[in-house]
Amino acid sequence: MELTNALRKKIKSLAEAKYRREYGLFVAEGTKCVADTVSAFRCNTLLATSSWIEANASVVDTVGHDRLIKMSRADLGHISSLKTPPEVIAVYRIPDATLDSDAAAHQLVVALDRVQDPGNLGTIIRACDWFGITTVIASDDSADMWNPKTVQATMGAIARVSVHYGDLAAMISAIAPKAVYGTFLDGDNIYDSALSATGIIVMGNEGRGISDAIASMVDRRLLIPSFPPGRPTSESLNVATATAITLSEFRSRQMKSRN
């Protein structure tokens, strides 16, 4: 396969959401990210250095040599969105994914209300993967999971966690969970609260928190307290950090209940 000027331009354009939607493609960069995702998505094009191809023959065989383009690292740097040019870039087909509301009703699901930073989204997806969350629902105005910064921040977790976009209130209603949790500065201490093994955990916008419309659907308001109580501290936690802490406490309760 040959890298034409048209193909080069097309791949570079995938840094923008409108072209990702138009072509139905996204990009993954770097050895770990590609190795962790190559079996999960249909690869359209694989661009790599000679040394990477030799060291990763099994990945190349998975993709197919007809989709492979051999390039120098310097040339990859002209296409890459990373500061340090990677040895490999994969162009994947964006998969079709439909939310299974019935299945989600029996899971612990994370809901994202206007989370707009791609890096935060990627870190949240990575935390979800670590804590066994496979379904995330997000408002349409949340960051795009296929953004190169998001894909990179997931460190391969994007292959195991599905993010479904749409009307967030409608998706929550469709799932009809036993409980809808949300993090608030005036909530109940999470470490003293009853937490269930299933339900929806809502995380809000980086600066504005959870919107009023979604907050009205939350029936269990939680607070991650600072320590020690009363000590001057930061105004709030980063949403990705707060998500990881919250999921850790939910899973801790599950593990303790089994003992």
Side-chain angles (χ1 to χ4, degrees):
M1 192 173 181
E2 180 182 354
L3 181 65
T4 63
N5 287 333
L7 181 57
R8 183 191 301 268
K9 183 178 179 181
K10 182 177 182 179
I11 294 172
K12 285 183 67 67
S13 75
L14 298 178
E16 298 183 42
K18 65 177 182 179
Y19 292 113
R20 291 194 294 273
R21 289 192 294 267
E22 179 180 339
Y23 297 125
L25 300 171
F26 75 99
V27 171
E29 304 183 54
T31 298
K32 175 165 177 53
C33 194
V34 172
D36 284 354
T37 55
V38 71
S39 297
F41 303 105
R42 178 184 168 194
C43 187
N44 184 280
T45 309
L46 186 70
L47 308 98
T49 63
S50 297
S51 58
W52 189 93
I53 293 169
E54 290 178 11
N56 297 272
S58 61
V59 176
V60 176
D61 289 341
T62 298
V63 172
H65 289 264
D66 58 326
R67 300 180 186 276
L68 176 65
I69 298 176
K70 190 181 297 185
M71 298 178 63
S72 69
R73 196 161 188 175
D75 286 338
L76 283 167
H78 294 307
I79 298 174
S80 174
S81 62
L82 301 178
K83 291 182 179 179
T84 301
E87 288 192 273
V88 61
I89 297 174
V91 181
Y92 292 124
R93 183 71 55 185
I94 294 175
D96 294 325
T98 303
L99 175 64
D100 186 339
S101 299
D102 292 336
H106 298 92
Q107 302 172 5
L108 194 59
V109 174
V110 169
L112 304 179
D113 184 16
R114 307 172 300 167
V115 171
Q116 296 180 330
D117 182 83
N120 280 339
L121 175 59
T123 304
I124 288 170
I125 292 172
R126 188 175 177 183
C128 285
D129 186 36
W130 183 261
F131 289 108
I133 307 297
T134 58
T135 301
V136 175
I137 56 176
S139 59
D140 280 323
D141 51 358
S142 291
D144 179 15
M145 69 180 294
W146 309 115
N147 183 302
K149 291 181 180 178
T150 301
V151 174
Q152 197 67 29
T154 70
M155 294 297 288
I158 201 168
R160 295 173 292 275
V161 178
S162 297
V163 182
H164 304 273
Y165 291 86
D167 182 321
L168 189 58
M171 287 190 287
I172 292 173
S173 295
I175 293 172
K178 292 181 179 179
V180 178
Y181 300 88
T183 53
F184 298 87
L185 293 177
D186 61 351
D188 297 323
N189 189 326
I190 188 172
Y191 303 118
D192 297 330
S193 299
L195 306 176
S196 60
T198 65
I200 293 178
I201 303 170
V202 182
M203 306 303 296
N205 175 268
E206 288 87 345
R208 294 172 290 170
I210 298 173
S211 63
D212 291 341
I214 300 302
S216 67
M217 304 181 76
V218 173
D219 47 47
R220 302 194 189 180
R221 299 167 71 95
L222 302 174
L223 164 71
I224 300 172
S226 59
F227 186 86
R231 174 182 174 273
T233 186
S234 302
E235 181 180 350
S236 63
L237 286 170
N238 169 277
V239 64
T241 301
T243 302
I245 293 170
T246 301
L247 292 178
S248 177
E249 185 61 18
F250 270 80
R251 293 314 196 197
S252 174
R253 300 296 181 83
Q254 281 186 261
M255 293 176 71
K256 289 176 182 177
S257 68
R258 293 173 182 171
N259 296 331

